[in-house]
């Protein structure tokens, strides 16, 4: 088969399909955006049928560009936007409601109710997560309570819950496979990450019947076979990981202490802690980095809800840029004497604040503030937030206090200006890889190694290569002044401030 692997990268704003050859080089891609639906303040939805259509279209486009047939593909790897929640009919595969996206905040009151009832400690101990609308469990509970007849149908075993990976596998296999992987399961608020099982106590608290939940497999496993009628030949699905976990793998962060940060719609930093389940004292998340051959590797994670989405806001909301690629050069023209801060809490603040009620704010505006200062503030906000996550990680894990080198990926890392400012503000080297499609590469490696056509973990790690290292250039006094201003801006943005 030549070692060709198809990676499906189902993201928040678009779906990409990427074909890699046996040398792990990209030979064909397809990408399709889909609608973002905002039914109410703080609510975000996707149409599951549009997601599915974007996947099928992107795969066909990628195969066409690669000049390959489905029969040339050895395996499929899937990576996906995490926590986004779907509910569909077991009989027909028809969704009961739009997908509730990870950014959605509609369950904030339910989370507060559960906290007041004293449940957060149980959730955090068992899942490594906090009671926040971000995660799938309360979204599923909302669907079962608010879609007419859903709970009764769920109790009868007529419905299926899944994150996006599960829904896609179900559709690809014609309903034959109802499965997920350990990383996606670990983000649901319902999965015990120490015992690697769905937790009955947490399901009772959330009032979720276990019959709606998929089987949980390793990240490299036999997830099913894509139906031959879809693309012209049956293709085994052999790798699945949530997008941030796939990026850990794609960046070859396999050793404890290795750190990666992905800059897409949001920003997510993960620190590999090996076999250690590190309980955060600084409101980070404890999560499963990946599970291979039945062995679980853990991570500390910091989640920032808005990164590239702030640039999208400049483009689509304020219309002060025509494309995201303009932002770095515009930021470079900003007046250095203006200290303008953007706190991009458009859908609340993630780690380490976890304030669902906070909303975005700008500070330091003057009559001279213009598009360049807005662009710089949007990009610097991502850098400041990353610094906050790294500080929390170093406090949480004694083994994390060595020299930090941050491996990065995602759309924003193509900007030299942003990566240099990131290095300046976190005061650490930033390594940008040659292959920027790191998330898709991670999913492809899971599938390719399982299929026996790609290298093992050791050889894959050795093949990872750096495009460029960015070293800190900002003087300490400037860095401290800017970070102090950022912390002040955040304090004034918090809902309880």
């Amino acid at each position: 088969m030549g070692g060709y692997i198809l990676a499906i990268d189902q993201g928040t704003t678009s779906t990409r399909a990427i074909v890699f050859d046996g040398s792990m080089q990209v030979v064909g891609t397809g990408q399709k955006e889909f609608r973002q639906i905002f039914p109410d303040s703080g609510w975000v939805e996707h149409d599951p049928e549009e997601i599915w259509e974007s996947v099928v279209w992107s795969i066909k486009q990628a195969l066409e560009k690669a000049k390959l047939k489905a029969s040339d593909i050895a395996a499929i790897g899937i990576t996906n936007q995490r926590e986004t929640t779907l509910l569909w009919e077991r009989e027909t595969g028809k969704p009961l409601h739009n997908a509730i996206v990870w950014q959605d905040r509609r369950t904030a009151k339910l989370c507060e109710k559960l906290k007041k009832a004293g449940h957060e400690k149980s959730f955090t101990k068992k899942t490594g997560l906090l009671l926040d609308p971000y995660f799938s469990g309360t979204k599923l509970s909302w669907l079962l309570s608010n879609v007419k007849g859903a709970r009764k149908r769920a109790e009868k075993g007529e419905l299926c819950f899944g994150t996006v990976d599960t829904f896609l596998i179900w559709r690809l296999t014609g309903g034959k496979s109802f499965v997920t992987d350990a990383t996606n399961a670990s983000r649901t608020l319902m999965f015990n990450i120490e015992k690697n099982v769905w937790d009955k106590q947490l399901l009772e608290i959330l009032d979720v019947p276990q019959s709606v939940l998929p089987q949980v497999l390793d990240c490299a496993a036999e997830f099913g076979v894509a139906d031959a009628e879809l693309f012209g030949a049956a293709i085994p699905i052999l790798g699945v990981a949530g997008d941030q976990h796939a990026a850990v793998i794609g960046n070859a962060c396999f050793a404890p202490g290795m750190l990666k940060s992905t800059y897409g719609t949001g920003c997510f930093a993960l620190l590999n802690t090996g076999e250690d389940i590190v309980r955060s004292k600084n409101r980070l998340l404890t999560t499963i980095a990946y599970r291979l051959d039945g062995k679980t590797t853990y991570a500390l994670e910091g989640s920032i809800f808005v990164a590239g989405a702030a640039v999208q806001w400049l483009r689509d909301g304020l219309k002060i840029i025509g494309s995201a690629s303009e932002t770095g050069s515009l930021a470079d023209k900003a007046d250095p004497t203006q200290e303008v801060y953007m706190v991009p809490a458009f859908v609340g603040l993630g780690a380490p604040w976890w304030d669902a009620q906070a909303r975005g704010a700008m500070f330091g505006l003057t009559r001279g503030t213009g598009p360049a200062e807005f662009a710089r503030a949007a990009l610097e906000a991502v850098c400041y937030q990353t610094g906050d996550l790294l500080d929390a990680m170093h406090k949480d894990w004694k083994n994390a206090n060595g020299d930090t080198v941050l491996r990065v990926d995602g759309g924003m890392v193509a900007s030299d200006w942003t990566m240099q400012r990131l290095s300046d503000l976190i005061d650490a080297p930033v390594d940008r890889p040659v292959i920027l499609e790191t998330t898709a590469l991670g999913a492809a490696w899971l599938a390719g190694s399982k299929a026996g056509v790609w290298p093992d973990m050791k050889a894959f790690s050795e093949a990872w290569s750096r495009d460029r290292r960015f070293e800190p250039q900002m003087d300490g006094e400037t860095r401290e002044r800017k970070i102090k201003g950022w912390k002040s801006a955040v304090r004034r943005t918090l809902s309880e401030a």
Side-chain angles (χ1 to χ4, degrees):
M1 294 184 184
Y4 291 107
I5 301 296
L6 170 65
I8 300 169
D9 184 355
Q10 203 301 297
T12 307
T13 57
S14 70
T15 297
R16 292 184 302 164
I18 302 176
V19 179
F20 293 89
D21 65 16
S23 303
M24 298 183 285
Q25 300 300 308
V26 176
V27 294
T29 63
Q31 182 166 3
K32 192 173 182 65
E33 291 191 2
F34 50 86
R35 282 186 307 153
Q36 307 297 300
I37 303 165
F38 308 104
D40 206 341
S41 176
W43 293 28
V44 190
E45 295 179 357
H46 293 156
D47 182 338
E49 298 297 348
E50 289 183 17
I51 290 177
W52 172 242
E53 288 163 11
S54 73
V55 168
V56 174
W57 186 92
S58 297
I59 290 172
K60 289 180 177 177
Q61 183 81 355
L63 289 171
E64 185 180 320
K65 287 190 177 178
K67 298 179 180 175
L68 296 171
K69 296 177 181 176
S71 56
D72 297 316
I73 303 298
I76 293 173
I78 297 174
T79 184
N80 57 285
Q81 52 166 314
R82 303 174 303 169
E83 297 96 13
T84 295
T85 301
L86 297 96
L87 191 64
W88 65 92
E89 293 179 344
R90 192 179 289 268
E91 183 83 15
T92 66
K94 181 183 175 184
L96 269 70
H97 190 275
N98 278 340
I100 302 181
V101 179
W102 58 272
Q103 299 162 314
D104 189 282
R105 313 305 287 171
R106 76 185 65 186
T107 63
K109 287 182 180 177
L110 173 56
C111 290
E112 286 304 315
K113 180 181 174 184
L114 293 171
K115 284 180 192 176
K116 285 177 182 174
H119 291 308
E120 186 163 50
K121 281 187 179 178
S122 292
F123 279 96
T124 300
K125 185 176 187 298
K126 293 183 172 191
T127 70
L129 310 176
L130 301 170
L131 271 174
D132 187 87
Y134 176 29
F135 305 108
S136 311
T138 57
K139 299 180 195 300
L140 174 56
S141 185
W142 186 94
L143 285 169
L144 293 173
S145 298
N146 288 275
V147 176
K148 189 176 179 182
R151 193 175 300 283
K152 282 186 179 178
R153 294 188 68 188
E155 288 167 354
K156 290 179 183 176
E158 296 176 5
L159 303 182
C160 296
F161 150 78
T163 41
V164 173
D165 59 305
T166 303
F167 179 67
L168 295 183
I169 294 167
W170 177 275
R171 283 287 177 93
L172 287 166
T173 63
K176 293 184 183 73
S177 291
F178 183 38
V179 293
T180 189
D181 85 293
T183 67
N184 278 294
S186 77
R187 311 296 296 185
T188 62
L189 273 177
M190 298 180 285
F191 192 70
N192 188 313
I193 62 171
E194 188 172 359
K195 295 180 179 177
N196 271 272
V197 294
W198 297 115
D199 193 282
K200 289 182 180 177
Q201 181 200 3
L202 302 183
L203 294 178
E204 285 175 11
I205 295 170
L206 291 168
D207 200 10
V208 169
Q210 189 155 351
S211 60
V212 301
L213 303 177
Q215 180 186 0
V216 181
L217 305 178
D218 286 352
C219 298
E222 294 179 2
F223 289 90
V225 179
D227 200 317
E229 290 183 10
L230 287 169
F231 309 110
I235 313 172
I237 304 165
L238 298 181
V240 176
D243 51 10
Q244 305 314 317
H245 314 267
V248 168
I249 294 164
N251 267 314
C253 290
F254 294 124
M258 294 187 76
L259 176 67
K260 78 88 200 175
S261 191
T262 298
Y263 297 92
T265 304
C267 163
F268 304 86
L270 272 80
L271 172 70
N272 185 324
T273 61
E275 296 178 9
D276 292 350
I277 300 178
V278 178
R279 305 291 182 182
S280 178
K281 296 181 175 66
N282 294 280
R283 296 181 68 73
L284 297 177
L285 306 176
T286 307
T287 196
I288 292 176
Y290 47 84
R291 195 176 88 192
L292 298 170
D293 299 321
K295 181 184 175 184
T296 305
T297 297
Y298 296 94
L300 274 175
E301 176 176 331
S303 309
I304 297 167
F305 297 149
V306 173
V311 176
Q312 289 176 326
W313 177 65
L314 296 181
R315 183 192 68 189
D316 302 335
L318 299 186
K319 301 189 187 304
I320 62 176
I321 56 171
S323 69
S325 59
E326 298 171 21
T327 320
S329 58
L330 187 60
D332 194 42
K333 298 172 185 171
D335 179 357
T337 66
Q338 288 195 51
E339 295 288 358
V340 179
Y341 293 92
M342 174 193 289
V343 183
F346 300 121
V347 289
L349 283 171
W353 307 283
W354 294 106
D355 187 342
Q357 304 306 321
R359 288 295 177 265
M362 297 286 295
F363 296 94
L365 301 179
T366 69
R367 284 288 298 275
T369 302
E373 288 72 33
F374 269 73
R376 184 185 64 193
L379 297 180
E380 285 188 335
V382 177
C383 305
Y384 289 126
Q385 290 179 100
T386 303
D388 290 337
L389 298 182
L390 301 192
D391 287 346
M393 286 175 175
H394 286 131
K395 288 173 185 172
D396 272 338
W397 195 45
K398 61 183 185 302
N399 297 334
N401 289 322
D403 293 332
T404 297
V405 176
L406 181 62
R407 289 187 175 182
V408 295
D409 64 277
M412 294 186 81
V413 308
S415 165
D416 288 354
W417 191 94
T418 307
M419 293 301 99
Q420 183 57 56
R421 188 52 56 99
L422 176 62
S423 177
D424 287 340
L425 290 174
I426 68 171
D427 194 20
V430 171
D431 282 356
R432 181 170 65 194
V434 170
I435 298 178
L436 293 179
E437 308 288 359
T438 311
T439 305
L441 179 63
W445 177 78
L446 289 168
S449 60
K450 180 69 176 176
V453 298
W454 274 27
D456 63 12
M457 184 184 287
K458 184 174 183 291
F460 180 71
S461 298
E462 291 168 354
W464 186 91
S465 56
R466 184 173 68 205
D467 165 56
R468 179 173 170 185
R469 170 168 285 186
F470 296 86
E471 300 272 8
Q473 296 176 0
M474 184 179 286
D475 66 87
E477 185 179 334
T478 301
R479 181 184 303 111
E480 285 180 25
R481 185 186 76 247
K482 290 177 76 67
I483 290 173
K484 184 179 178 182
W486 163 254
K487 291 186 183 302
S488 172
V490 171
R491 277 197 304 273
R492 288 183 280 170
T493 305
L494 295 173
S495 62
E496 296 177 5

